[in-house]
Structures are given as C-alpha cells and as structure tokens.
Amino acid sequence: FSKALSFVYKSQTSRKMARSKKDTSAEDERKANLRKDIDFVEHTWPAEKLYSHFGCTLEKGLSSEQVLINRGKYGENRLTPPALTPWYIQFLLQFANFFAALLLAGGTLCFIGYGIDTEKDQTNLFLGIVLYAVVTITATFSYLQEAKSEKIMEGFKNMIPKKCKCIRDGKNTVVDAWELVPGDVVDLLDGDQVPADIRVMSANELKVDNSSLTGESEPQDRSTDLAKDSQGNLVMQPLEASNLCFYTTIINSGSGRGVVIGSGDRTVMGQIAGLATETSNEASPINVEISKFIQLISAVAITLGVVFFIIGLTNGTDIIQNVVFMIGIIVANVPEGLLATVTVSLALTAKRMHTKNVLVKNLEAVETLGSTTIIASDKTGTLTQNRMTVMHVWVDNETYLCPAGKNIPDLAVLSQTPADEPYYDASSPGFKRLLQVATLCNNAEFLTKNDDGSYMDLKAEMNNPNFNILKQAATGDASEQGLLKLVQPLNDALETRAACPKIFEIKFNSTNKWQLSIHSQGAGRPPLLVLKGAPERVLGMCKSYFAKGEVKEINASYNKTYTEAYEGLGGRGERVLGFAYKELTGMKDDFKFSNKPAPNFTMNDLTFVGLISLIDPPREGVPEAVIKCNRARVKVYMVTGDHPITAAAIAKQVNIISQENIDSGDAIVVKGDTIREWTEIADPVEQQKKWDAALDHKQIVWARVSPAHKLLIVENCQRRGEIVAVTGDGVNDAPALKKGDIGVAMGIAGKDVSKEAADMILMDDNFASIVNGVEEGRLIFDNLKKSIAYTLSSNIPEIAPFLIYITAKLPLPLSTVLILCIDLGTDMVPAISLAYETKEADIMDRPPRNAQTDRLVNFRLISFAYLQIGMIQALAGFFVYIIVLNDYGYAPNILMGNGLEWFKHSVMCTINGDGSPKECGFGCEGEDWERGYCEGGCQVPVTSEVDPFIEFTSAGFRGDGEYTCNRACSNYLSIPSDKLTDAEKEAFVDLCGDSGDSTWGFADRGFADKDAIAPAGAMYFWNGQLQHLPNKNYQSSALEYAQCAYFISIIIVQWADLLICKTRKLSLFQQGLQNDFMNFGLLFETVLGATLVYTPALNTVFGTRPLHILHWFPAVPWSMFIFTYDEMRKAIMRQNPDGWLNSYTYW
C-alpha cells in the first residue's frame, strides 16, 4: 500500500541517481525506441543474404567458431533484468524524505528530552516510541510495494523456453535456449515454445499461437513466403509478417525449420519486457489526493510548530519542552490515523470486490477505478468469450441467425426470443444436410471423462437446463469446437458419427484451405464425401447446390446471391466456412481411397450446401456494462491486435461504437499502420495533433496494434488528463497494464506476466466485473471524504490547546499523548466504520470526478471540519476543562497567564472577601519545603520566627521587586531600608555579620515566571483556599483531571460528528442507522475512552485520571448542538440546492 502511504512520505527526487546529460539522452533514446516497432529487416532478405549475414546454412547451421563470434556480437539469448537496488537500500530509502525525517527527528528529541529529564517524565518516552513506530510501519508498507517490478521480470523469465533443438556443425543437438545466437538453425515441432525470434525457412503445415502477443484467437499460418500486402509490397512490420515465429509463442501444429534473427532483448518479447519494466507505475489519483492533502496539512503544521517554538523561546521556556510542544502541534495537525483508516477502508472494499470475482492486488486501485475516465480494454477474452461460436448460417439461399444453445431447453428459449433477423428452420432439409456435413467433417471431440474416471452422458446432460455445452472442454481447433457445440443440442454428434463412420480423410492445410473426409452410410448406400473450408475454394469445387430439398446447378444468379451473403457475413467480422458434399456413386466402403500422388476419386463436382459463420462472441453482460459505463461518462476503448473489421463488428455488438456515430464522424477505427505513420512524424507538435484529432472522437476502436502502440495510446490519454484503466490478458498487454493508472488482468486466461503487472485481476475474466469496480471505486471516494471529514474535525480541539497554551499561557488543556490516544485510538474504529456506508442512489449517474476540481479534501471540507464542527468541538473541550479546574478550586479568572510553570511551581494568590482567588501568579524558583532555619536559608513561608532570606513576610508574598527572590548575605547591605523591617535587619546582622561575607541566602535566585509574578500578600493556593505550604502534586493532578475531561469531551462531541458524517446532504433520519459497524464504533470509542480513564496502569502510561462521572456530562449539550446545527444545514441545502449554503458548505 505504498502509494496511499506515500501521503506521509513519497519523495521521488530522493530516489533518483544523478545522471549526466549524455546518460539522460541515451535513456530517452532507449525509451523512444521501445515505443516503435522492433527494427527487423532480416525477414525481407533473400535466403542467400540471410545465410551470408549470419554465417550459417540451413543444412549445417552454425559452426562452433561462428557461434562464439555471433555471441560476442549479439550477446546471450537472455532478457536483461532491470537494475535492482539491494533490498536493504530500498528499505532505508523509504526513510529518506522530509516528513519521515521530521517525525524521526521529533522522536529523537523526545528520547533526548526523556534522557536529560531528571524527573523522567514518561510522556516524552511514549511519544518518541509512537512517532518511530508510525514511520517504521509506513516505510515497511512502502517497501513491500516496490518489489513489484522485480516480480514482473520474474514473470518474463518463467516464460522463457528451457531447451530447444538446433543444428550446429551439421549435427542435430539440444541446447539451453539462452545459448542460441542469431544465425542458429532451429527445428520447430508441434507443441514447442519458440526459443527466439525466428525466420521460417521451411514449413510443413506450420501454425503458431500468437494470442499472447496479438490477441488473435485463431492459430496463424506460417510459411517461407515473404509476406506482401495487397499492393504487392513487402510487409516490413514484423508482427504482420507470415514468415516469422516470435520468442515464447507456441507451435500449434505442423513443423518447420528456421534461422534465429533476434535474441534476448532484440526480440518482440524482449521489447515488451523492456517496456513493462521501464514504464513506471503512475501515482494513483487517491495517492495524489492524499499527498496534496498531507502537503497542505504538513505545511500548516510545520509553520505553526516553528512559529510557536520561537514564541516559546521568547517566553523563556526550556528548549526541550519547546521542542516537545512543537512536535505536539505537528502531531495534532497531522492525522496519523489516516494511514490506517485509508488502508483498512481500501482493504474492506477489496474484500467486497472479491465476492464479485475481482481480486485487488494494489489496494489503491479500487479508488482509481472509481476515478477512471477511459477504460482501454483488450478484446479477446475480456469483451469476448475467447471461443469461436456459430452466429449465422446461409442455407436455402437465405442468411439466418443461428446462435448456439447451451442445452436443449435453452435452445427452445432462443428460438422464441425476438430478434432483428430470422432464425433458422431446424426442419429444413438444407439445414439438416449442413449440420450433417459440419458434424462429420470435423475432428473436434468433447472431453467427457470425469475426475473420478467415469464418463459424462452428454446426450442426457443436454436436457439439463443448468448444463452449458458452450463451456464444455473439447479437442480440436477453435472453429471445429464452435461447430461441434452448435450441433450437439440439435443432434447428438456421437450418434451422427456412429451412423456414418469415417473411412478416409484429407486434413486441412494452408495450401488447399479445405478439409475433406469420406464416410460410410451403410445399408448399401455409396460413401458420402463431405468437405469444409474457405468458401471460395469450396464453391470452386462444386457444380451444383442444395437448397430447399433440391439439387440445382450453380449459375450466375446463385453466385451473386452467394457473394452477397459471403461478403455480408465477412463484413460483420465473422469467420465464414463453406460446406459441400457428394455421394460417391459407384464406389463402395471398402474402396481404397488415396490422395497420393493424386486423389483416386473425383472432387470437382460437389454439391454446395451453405455457409456457417463463427465469431468470438461478446461475453454475457458486456453490452449492458458498456452502456452503464457510458451513462457514468466513462469512455470504453477497444484496443486489440485483431483485424479492424472483426474488431469493429464486436465493438458494435458491445456498444463501444455505434453505426450512428460512425456515420456522423464521432466514432473512428484507428489501425496500427496509422499509429506507425504518426510515430514517424519528426515534429512532436504535429505528432501530438494527430493523436489529439483521434482522441477527440467520442468512440474509438484501436485495431491491429502492437504492444508499443498500446503503451502510446495509454500515454497520450494520460497526457490529456485522462485516468486510464487498462485491461488485458496477454504478455503484450503487460507494458500498458503497468503504465495505466490501473491495470486489470484476466484471472483465467491471463498470463502470469500480465497478472504481475496488473493492480486487479478479474477472476471470471468478465468485463462486466470492471463496472462493479467503478461503482465501488466511487463509493470508496465518497466514504473516504466522510472519513477524513470526521477525522479532521478533531484536529481543531487538538491544536487549540497548544495555541492557547503558548499565546494565552493557559495551563495546557490536552497533552500530546492524549492527542495520540485520539488519533490512533478512539477515532480509528469510527473513522473506519464510514467505509461500510452504502452507496448513494446516483453514484453511477455522475460523471467521473474532475481531478482538478473535485478533490478529496477541498476548501468546503476544510471549512466544515475546521471552522464549523472543529470550532464547536474546541469550545466544548475548553468548557469542560474550565469546569473541572474550577471544581478543583482553580477559578477560570486565575488560569490565564499562569500556564507555563503549572507543573513546576505552585501558584500563589490573593483572595476576595468571599474567599475566591483574586489575583494569582508564581513566586521564586525552587520550592524546598523544610520547616525552620536552614543552612543557606529556606523559602518556607514565615510563621513565628523571622527568616530574612525568604520571599515571604508575615503578610504573605513580598511581590514583584529586585530583592524578593535573591536575598542573601552577599547583597543584604545593598537592600534599601524601606524593603527591610527592623526584625529582618537584625536577623541579617545576626546571620551574616556586619560585612556580609557569609554565603547564606539566595544570591542567584530569580522568579519562577517573570511574566506571571504573584502579587504582594499572596499565599500558596490549592484545594480552593490559601495554604502556607505549596502542593505541586495537587495542582498537577487537578490539571491532569482537566486534561482527561477535555479528552473525554472530544469523544462525546465526536459521537455527533460521526453521525453527521454519515451523509453529505441527506438527513440522518433518511439514511438510518443500519451501519452496524458504525454503531459498534460509537460504543468502541466510548469504552476505550473509559478504559484509558479508569485503568490504573493506563493512568500511569497516558497521564489520565479516574474522572468523576459528572464530568462526562458537560460536553453532551455541545454534542447535541453539533447534530442539530448540521441537520438544519443539510435541510436548507436540500430545500435550496442552488443556494449559498450548498455552494460553500457542501463538501
């Protein structure tokens, strides 16, 4: 939780190492290069040039000598880890900032004060321990967060292949993947993980799974051909090249051989790793808010502390005592409990979100999601289900909606659901034939084995309304699985296949682009040939078509209808497959079918049945979730590596873009090629204009983008002041996940690297869960506002005692330790309980908060907490404090000006006729309370004998004057005659002699407080009456009782404060008291306060006293006044929502 902690400490400048301009320039250049496509050109070279460049041949690979040369030139095939600081240095750096140093210095001074204090006042000791503990705990939280980038790099390391097969010196050998160098010839087999970026030099039906890099659901064909675009130009972008296999991707099927052209950091994966570890986590909005708040509070606290430290020095107060009071003012201003309050509040919200399938790794991410203005979402697996599903069929010359059912009951519901398109007719002969071909010409099979070894009866399960065949695991590629799942609720696939067993097959390959199988029909019928594949290839092998139960010859009219249907389905972003069949009349099942060297059966006179189109469909709830985001004024961008047509089709289905906005120019699909063109613009201003022109659109789809492009999209959105949430599941998403204000990874389909880089993980991979997060994020911002308003209100009654103590010299009404008891004790649970408040009804109808104007702590909240509620609370505290001191005999009129020496010297007073104190002050320094004559003189008030050295006469204190406190043998001869009685003169002569050489007396003694000197005739005053002897213990205890009462009064007025902070505008009677944890909080602070007051051991530790029960009640009317005042304020605001009160006090 370091970011929320950084409210106390984050000082970025203290962490940065000084670098030369040259180093900075090189680093900037490296960052810029990482944001461009990797600079491969080797995939466009002729084979001879490639072999010559690296010193290899396809048959013999590299020689051992050339391996060493290339390794020296290119380095090892390893990802360069980021420079890491030792853990202990990282930990110590958490203390290297101003605020931490301030609190540590304060704690140290407290320990020093305790060490040199002869009376060993434990207040300083306890305060020092608490300040050190706050700093240490905060630093520990910060340190734990900073290990994150190391974990991300570990995630990349876990992806790196361990071994691979390569050719060296003409021999096949197995080497560690890190040993590969550019020029190595590597064999790629089905299931292998690609050990480097490799150019394919020979291939046999080679397919690679690039989904972790590009988000493409389907395996991609790889061949030796140089990739060319539609204009016949060579494709320069590596991610678009069909003759490259990329580091850490998986060989899906087939085999091949290739030459390593990129290793280590100079690979697409190396670029992603560099981006992921280079991009720094952005400070979260809540972190920024709390940091600004603490900066403000700290500036106020430090300013007040220093000012009153100087005032204290001018008053002559002991420097250590002054330092302790300065720390007291700082402690009173800074809400130390805010750290725990924010942490626990975020943790509680994270716990709530876990029940909604959202795992929160970084607690601050919860609030960040609530502040989000843009959600940049990956398509595959986040917005979509990441499984190909049948959407339409074209049969009987018509296009029909054909959604796959979860089970038979669900299929019945689907067929009755109103739609914009007609549903298929399951009884149609054409549709039945299409289903048969799709079932037979299909190698996908359901995995029905249970954990206990038994097998699932799929046919029976299809009647179970709770069963979902769409989620059933199956073998085969994504499209074949989609076809199989369409078929199963309509006709059991096992039964269909059992009735027509396969007797021959030609598998799909990238050259033919079709798949064929021949099946026995039994009962003396000829074998049935079924074919599926690319529609244009399948139609080209047909001479007739089957429609409405009849076979007819293909003509121009049919071709036109077919073309319109094919292009229409393709334009929706759907993958279209064509299906055909033929009964092999004249052949029998035992015929030896063969396709080598050429097929021994005819294949150019098939009958075309129709088309089936598949798409990775949107997840359930996503379209509604996007609408909810739009209502909350949160933009949703689709950011995908998939084809623009497919991306746009899905975006329309999930409401990310609309045709209306496309037509009006408010929506746009931006391609990766376009971004590449922008990055080539040399003028940064012009480049920025291009980005701004695109980002000004209301709705945006980013298609065919690379990992570097994703990062640029996020950075440019942030440049415009947007709060960006990034979702993703692939390795390619890691840089953007880390760069975004909040990264959201997928828990099921997500790679470990993306999970490590993210702040939150969707356990169900469902975009709709993000919307729940937005709602919770907004709720926690509201509740944090309430919690801070509650916490800040007690700052004024905490600060005011110190200010009054220094300025008016009133005996200190509240000790520093009791302030900590409030901030870290009684206020904690009530403040946290506000996190349990339920959301307001309009929470998702508001726009995202404006980070520039809608602050966590604004002037109105400060005004409410400090100038309104805080002032009332301070008045309540002083009221109770004065009542208690008065009850112990110290009337309010004698307190002012006498506070600085209250704990060190006994107060002396003159009295009125009714015995009440009239005028008070302090006598001389030091109070030795032995009776009679003493060697050197005694200060005990005179009784019967005359002591010329003391400050008392039979009438009382001598009062202000030069010879009141410093009467001694050494100076008695200089005392004016009118200052001595005859008896005193005789006593001086007796004790000192005529010369005054004796050392008796108080030659160096002064007044206890020269600004608060007791009047002439004053006597010691305690227990409400004049006394002959001082009693500092009584006087100190009376003040401690008053301080304790002040402490209790804050608890009592905080009852009302907690209740009024439940709502910002609604009446408490509307909101109710359903927050059980808050009700417990009210009880908790009261019981804790009573425990601190009435437990003897705690009295010693915290300086509390067992308060008389009646002294709890003077604060109650003030608490009632606070509640009544705020209810009236809110009522006026509700009645006049545009009024002055709402404008200036609605926080």
Side-chain angles (χ1 to χ4, degrees):
F1 186 58
S2 76
K3 294 182 186 172
L5 272 225
S6 59
F7 79 77
V8 180
Y9 316 143
K10 243 355 178 189
S11 174
Q12 296 293 337
T13 55
S14 66
R15 310 211 178 176
K16 293 180 180 177
M17 304 297 289
R19 295 181 297 178
S20 68
K21 290 184 178 179
K22 182 178 178 181
D23 290 338
T24 304
S25 176
E27 180 66 16
D28 291 342
E29 184 179 350
R30 173 181 172 273
K31 289 182 178 180
N33 288 335
L34 281 173
R35 283 157 176 76
K36 297 179 181 178
D37 287 321
I38 199 158
D39 58 346
F40 284 152
V41 291
E42 294 90 336
H43 62 292
T44 64
W45 292 348
E48 295 75 17
K49 181 178 179 180
L50 184 74
Y51 299 146
S52 173
H53 179 76
F54 290 117
C56 66
T57 65
L58 193 62
E59 296 75 23
K60 294 187 177 181
L62 290 172
S63 65
S64 299
E65 294 81 6
Q66 191 66 41
V67 168
L68 295 176
I69 293 170
N70 288 5
R71 184 168 294 141
K73 184 177 180 180
Y74 301 107
E76 295 179 347
N77 186 29
R78 299 182 193 268
L79 299 180
T80 302
L84 299 179
T85 306
W87 70 267
Y88 53 88
I89 298 295
Q90 284 184 347
F91 182 70
L92 291 176
L93 284 174
Q94 310 304 321
F95 298 88
N97 58 79
F98 175 74
F99 202 82
L102 177 68
L103 292 183
L104 289 174
T108 302
L109 288 171
C110 288
F111 290 137
I112 293 172
Y114 175 74
I116 64 178
D117 184 6
T118 54
E119 298 178 6
K120 297 299 178 189
D121 181 6
Q122 293 186 330
T123 300
N124 287 343
L125 175 64
F126 296 140
L127 180 57
I129 290 172
V130 169
L131 291 176
Y132 265 64
V134 168
V135 174
T136 304
I137 292 169
T138 305
T140 302
F141 274 124
S142 292
Y143 165 73
L144 292 176
Q145 179 70 14
E146 293 211 347
K148 195 173 181 183
S149 62
E150 295 177 43
K151 289 186 178 180
I152 293 173
M153 201 62 207
E154 287 299 319
F156 280 106
K157 288 179 183 176
N158 293 336
M159 295 183 60
I160 297 171
K162 302 296 186 291
K163 301 280 186 182
C164 64
K165 305 177 189 70
C166 72
I167 300 173
R168 286 183 178 172
D169 297 317
K171 298 177 182 178
N172 290 323
T173 182
V174 176
V175 299
D176 289 325
W178 67 264
E179 294 185 58
L180 287 180
V181 296
D184 263 321
V185 176
V186 178
D187 283 329
L188 302 171
L189 302 176
D190 187 4
D192 283 353
Q193 194 171 19
V194 180
D197 280 3
I198 294 173
R199 174 173 167 180
V200 178
M201 305 307 295
S202 68
N204 179 24
E205 309 302 331
L206 184 64
K207 286 191 175 187
V208 64
D209 179 1
N210 277 350
S211 60
S212 65
L213 286 180
T214 64
E216 293 165 306
S217 304
E218 290 285 303
Q220 302 299 302
D221 292 323
R222 285 296 176 259
S223 67
T224 60
D225 298 332
L226 299 182
K228 295 183 180 180
D229 60 22
S230 57
Q231 282 77 39
N233 301 317
L234 286 175
V235 173
M236 302 302 293
Q237 291 79 30
L239 285 173
E240 299 292 335
S242 59
N243 62 346
L244 285 179
C245 293
F246 300 109
Y247 194 19
T248 74
T249 57
I250 306 294
I251 302 300
N252 185 270
S253 62
S255 62
R257 177 175 288 184
V259 176
V260 174
I261 63 170
S263 62
D265 292 337
R266 192 177 178 267
T267 58
V268 173
M269 184 57 63
Q271 182 191 37
I272 294 171
L275 286 169
T277 52
E278 170 264 321
T279 51
S280 58
N281 280 322
E282 299 300 308
S284 70
I286 192 68
N287 173 233
V288 171
E289 289 298 318
I290 294 177
S291 295
K292 287 181 181 295
F293 164 55
I294 290 301
Q295 286 169 14
L296 172 65
I297 292 295
S298 300
V300 171
I302 294 166
T303 302
L304 285 174
V306 171
V307 167
F308 286 98
F309 175 77
I310 294 170
I311 293 174
L313 288 179
T314 60
N315 287 338
T317 311
D318 179 68
I319 189 166
I320 291 294
Q321 185 180 0
N322 259 325
V323 168
V324 172
F325 283 132
M326 180 178 73
I327 297 300
I329 290 174
I330 293 171
V331 167
N333 267 283
V334 177
E336 295 83 3
L338 182 63
L339 161 64
T341 302
V342 173
T343 305
V344 174
S345 297
L346 292 173
L348 288 171
T349 306
K351 185 177 179 181
R352 280 204 303 269
M353 291 185 68
H354 190 264
T355 64
K356 300 178 181 179
N357 291 315
V358 180
L359 175 64
V360 180
K361 286 176 57 192
N362 178 359
L363 297 181
E364 290 175 36
V366 180
E367 194 285 326
T368 304
L369 202 51
S371 306
T372 295
T373 57
I374 289 175
I375 298 175
S377 177
D378 186 33
K379 177 183 74 70
T380 307
T382 308
L383 298 172
T384 65
Q385 299 176 20
N386 197 22
R387 54 172 176 259
M388 298 301 287
T389 304
V390 173
M391 188 59 61
H392 292 93
V393 296
W394 183 71
V395 68
D396 294 336
N397 297 348
E398 295 287 344
T399 299
Y400 296 101
L401 189 62
C402 185
K406 299 175 183 177
N407 47 63
I408 292 174
D410 180 62
L411 199 62
V413 173
L414 283 174
S415 64
Q416 301 300 318
T417 304
D420 297 332
E421 301 173 272
Y423 279 94
Y424 63 91
D425 179 4
S427 63
S428 160
F431 184 75
K432 289 181 178 180
R433 176 64 80 177
L434 184 63
L435 277 190
Q436 181 191 37
V437 176
T439 307
L440 297 178
C441 192
N442 190 328
N443 289 319
E445 293 183 0
F446 287 113
L447 299 174
T448 57
K449 189 174 183 179
N450 297 317
D451 294 338
D452 59 2
S454 62
Y455 287 86
M456 181 190 304
D457 184 351
L458 269 185
K459 187 175 181 180
E461 287 289 352
M462 292 314 301
N463 292 299
N464 178 1
N466 297 318
F467 181 74
N468 188 351
I469 191 66
L470 302 179
K471 294 184 178 181
Q472 183 64 31
T475 62
D477 68 33
S479 295
E480 290 200 327
Q481 288 187 35
L483 294 171
L484 183 64
K485 290 172 181 179
L486 166 73
V487 168
Q488 188 62 33
L490 295 163
N491 290 311
D492 185 70
L494 285 177
E495 289 186 356
T496 302
R497 290 173 177 175
C500 299
K502 186 187 299 182
I503 55 180
F504 178 74
E505 179 180 27
I506 299 176
K507 292 190 175 182
F508 179 90
N509 63 65
S510 55
T511 303
N512 294 335
K513 296 190 180 299
W514 48 257
Q515 173 185 348
L516 174 150
S517 60
I518 298 175
H519 299 259
S520 169
Q521 297 190 84
R525 298 178 65 188
L528 178 67
L529 181 153
V530 289
L531 180 100
K532 81 165 187 290
E536 66 277 7
R537 294 291 182 92
V538 173
L539 186 66
M541 299 166 68
C542 297
K543 292 185 177 179
S544 59
Y545 67 91
F546 183 80
K548 300 178 181 177
E550 298 178 356
V551 176
K552 296 181 180 180
E553 188 175 339
I554 293 175
N555 53 30
S557 174
Y558 181 83
N559 278 330
K560 181 182 177 182
T561 306
Y562 154 83
T563 301
E564 290 174 353
Y566 179 27
E567 291 178 351
L569 293 173
R572 303 184 195 209
E574 298 174 14
R575 185 184 184 198
V576 186
L577 296 174
F579 296 82
Y581 77 98
K582 176 187 178 182
E583 288 193 340
L584 299 175
T585 307
M587 294 184 176
K588 296 184 179 180
D589 294 348
D590 57 0
F591 181 79
K592 300 297 184 183
F593 292 97
S594 173
N595 66 326
K596 294 180 180 179
N600 59 358
F601 54 93
T602 57
M603 296 169 44
N604 59 355
D605 57 350
L606 309 183
T607 300
F608 195 79
V609 184
L611 303 171
I612 297 181
S613 65
L614 303 94
I615 197 166
D616 184 5
R619 284 181 169 275
E620 291 182 14
V622 169
E624 295 79 7
V626 173
I627 289 173
K628 203 171 183 181
C629 285
N630 293 336
R631 198 175 76 237
R633 271 81 113 202
V634 178
K635 294 181 181 178
V636 181
Y637 293 166
M638 178 187 287
V639 185
T640 179
D642 215 338
H643 195 279
I645 293 176
T646 306
I650 293 294
K652 288 178 185 177
Q653 291 184 44
V654 298
N655 301 312
I656 288 177
I657 60 174
S658 66
Q659 190 61 49
E660 180 184 352
N661 281 331
I662 291 174
D663 295 339
S664 66
D666 290 329
I668 186 174
V669 178
V670 181
K671 301 175 185 178
D673 289 338
T674 306
I675 298 177
R676 288 188 187 94
E677 292 172 5
W678 296 346
T679 59
E680 297 302 322
I681 298 174
D683 184 357
V685 175
E686 287 300 316
Q687 189 178 131
Q688 186 172 308
K689 285 181 180 178
K690 294 290 186 182
W691 279 101
D692 288 340
L695 291 169
D696 284 339
H697 289 80
K698 291 180 182 177
Q699 298 176 323
I700 309 177
V701 170
W702 308 85
R704 222 63 175 157
V705 295
S706 69
H709 295 159
K710 290 188 179 185
L711 189 59
L712 285 170
I713 292 165
V714 173
E715 289 176 337
N716 278 279
C717 289
Q718 290 174 332
R719 172 180 59 79
R720 291 162 56 94
E722 306 284 4
I723 305 298
V724 185
V726 180
T727 76
D729 58 358
V731 180
N732 58 322
D733 298 313
L737 285 170
K738 190 159 181 275
K739 180 65 179 177
D741 295 284
I742 173 172
V744 184
M746 304 298 114
I748 300 171
K751 304 294 183 185
D752 288 344
V753 176
S754 65
K755 293 178 188 177
E756 289 293 351
D759 302 296
M760 296 169 63
I761 299 173
L762 303 183
M763 304 308 292
D764 57 357
D765 289 11
N766 195 344
F767 177 85
S769 299
I770 299 176
V771 181
N772 293 331
V774 172
E775 199 168 77
E776 288 288 347
R778 293 187 175 189
L779 172 62
I780 200 166
F781 187 82
D782 282 359
N783 287 349
L784 275 178
K785 251 184 180 296
K786 295 173 183 177
S787 183
I788 289 174
Y790 168 80
T791 304
L792 290 186
S793 296
S794 62
N795 273 15
I796 292 298
E798 290 173 354
I799 297 167
F802 288 94
L803 304 187
I804 296 298
Y805 171 78
I806 295 295
T807 55
K809 300 180 182 178
L810 203 72
L812 186 64
L814 188 67
S815 69
T816 307
V817 170
L818 287 178
I819 289 175
L820 293 175
C821 288
I822 295 168
D823 289 348
L824 301 175
T826 58
D827 268 0
M828 287 292 291
V829 173
I832 292 168
S833 72
L834 286 162
Y836 286 86
E837 280 300 303
T838 54
K839 66 186 177 186
E840 299 173 29
D842 65 340
I843 198 165
M844 287 301 283
D845 293 327
R846 309 178 205 153
R849 70 178 183 85
N850 186 325
Q852 303 303 316
T853 58
D854 190 6
R855 321 245 37 152
L856 182 65
V857 179
N858 53 26
F859 171 78
R860 287 170 297 192
L861 189 145
I862 292 288
S863 168
F864 171 80
Y866 280 6
L867 303 181
Q868 298 170 56
I869 307 304
M871 286 294 188
I872 298 172
Q873 290 188 344
L875 290 173
F878 283 113
F879 178 73
V880 175
Y881 158 84
I882 286 171
I883 284 179
V884 173
L885 277 180
N886 187 70
D887 287 352
Y888 281 96
Y890 299 104
N893 64 298
I894 73 167
L895 301 178
M896 196 79 73
N898 292 321
L900 297 182
E901 296 296 323
W902 193 271
F903 279 108
K904 292 184 177 179
H905 296 90
S906 296
V907 71
M908 294 189 293
C909 300
T910 57
I911 59 173
N912 295 310
D914 60 359
S916 62
K918 179 181 179 182
E919 189 178 352
C920 300
F922 294 99
C924 302
E925 293 176 334
E927 291 177 349
D928 298 326
W929 300 334
E930 299 177 27
R931 287 183 176 277
Y933 293 100
C934 310
E935 184 177 355
C938 298
Q939 65 177 33
V940 179
V942 67
T943 52
S944 55
E945 299 88 357
V946 175
D947 185 341
F949 303 111
I950 64 174
E951 63 268 37
F952 292 95
T953 67
S954 59
F957 185 62
R958 296 180 188 275
D960 191 8
E962 186 179 353
Y963 296 101
T964 297
C965 298
N966 60 344
R967 300 162 74 91
C969 289
S970 60
N971 64 9
Y972 87 89
L973 293 175
S974 61
I975 300 175
S977 302
D978 60 340
K979 298 291 184 182
L980 296 172
T981 64
D982 292 338
E984 287 174 338
K985 291 178 182 177
E986 291 177 7
F988 268 125
V989 172
D990 267 352
L991 296 170
C992 305
D994 293 335
S995 63
D997 292 336
S998 174
T999 57
W1000 286 14
F1002 307 102
D1004 300 322
R1005 191 171 62 151
F1007 289 104
D1009 185 346
K1010 66 179 187 300
D1011 295 323
I1013 299 173
M1019 296 292 289
Y1020 290 113
F1021 189 86
W1022 48 272
N1023 198 28
Q1025 54 190 333
L1026 296 179
Q1027 307 282 352
H1028 280 285
L1029 294 176
N1031 191 341
K1032 287 191 295 184
N1033 288 339
Y1034 180 90
Q1035 186 172 300
S1036 299
S1037 294
L1039 180 57
E1040 287 168 346
Y1041 274 99
Q1043 289 177 339
C1044 187
Y1046 192 109
F1047 165 68
I1048 291 298
S1049 74
I1050 292 179
I1051 292 176
I1052 292 171
V1053 291
Q1054 283 289 76
W1055 293 346
D1057 189 25
L1058 183 63
L1059 293 176
I1060 66 174
C1061 286
K1062 276 175 67 72
T1063 63
R1064 294 164 66 188
K1065 188 176 283 189
L1066 290 178
S1067 167
L1068 177 67
F1069 301 103
Q1070 293 174 290
Q1071 184 79 354
L1073 291 171
Q1074 288 81 18
N1075 188 340
D1076 292 335
F1077 193 72
M1078 179 178 288
N1079 299 335
F1080 167 74
L1082 288 167
L1083 180 65
F1084 170 84
E1085 65 177 334
T1086 308
V1087 171
L1088 179 58
T1091 303
L1092 293 172
V1093 167
Y1094 297 113
T1095 305
L1098 298 181
N1099 292 159
T1100 303
V1101 174
F1102 297 104
T1104 52
R1105 290 292 179 267
L1107 204 62
H1108 193 286
I1109 190 65
L1110 291 178
H1111 287 154
W1112 283 68
F1113 290 96
V1116 172
W1118 293 90
S1119 188
M1120 296 170 65
F1121 173 69
I1122 288 172
F1123 180 78
T1124 305
Y1125 162 78
D1126 199 63
E1127 280 292 312
M1128 291 175 64
R1129 181 184 68 87
K1130 290 173 181 172
I1132 295 171
M1133 284 197 302
R1134 291 193 300 273
Q1135 292 171 3
N1136 300 283
D1138 298 322
W1140 179 90
L1141 206 60
N1142 188 75
S1143 300
Y1144 289 94
T1145 69
Y1146 177 60
W1147 45 271

